Amino acid sequence: MAYSIGDSGEMEMMTFVHVFEIATAQDSSSVLPILDDVFSQLKTIMPQLQTIYIRNDNAGCYHCAQTVIIQ
């Protein structure tokens, strides 16, 4: 989910769904492409977007250098 403040000053929520046909490990190799896709979609929807804050549930797939250094 992504939250933003709309032009009217109200909070808006967007939900992104990624469906996989096969069992996929929830590790950085699956999380990073999803984040990349969400970032790309957000930039398309809101071209003025400059900062994104990521909140996670402290799962192990977020605890690697690749995930920490994404831009």
Side-chain angles (χ1 to χ4, degrees):
M1 280 188 242
Y3 296 94
S4 65
I5 303 298
D7 294 334
S8 65
E10 292 187 20
M11 184 178 286
E12 298 176 350
M13 180 181 69
M14 291 170 270
T15 302
F16 299 87
V17 177
H18 293 82
V19 179
F20 298 89
E21 290 185 29
I22 58 173
T24 304
Q26 293 183 8
D27 57 10
S28 63
S29 62
S30 60
V31 170
L32 291 175
I34 293 170
L35 288 176
D36 184 53
D37 180 64
V38 170
F39 293 167
S40 296
Q41 289 188 54
L42 287 172
K43 282 299 282 182
T44 300
I45 295 165
M46 300 179 285
Q48 74 283 5
L49 183 66
Q50 294 184 1
T51 304
I52 298 173
Y53 297 95
I54 302 171
R55 308 225 31 181
N56 70 62
D57 60 359
N58 206 26
C61 55
Y62 302 106
H63 292 205
C64 76
Q66 288 177 315
T67 309
V68 173
I69 62 172
I70 60 170
Q71 297 181 8

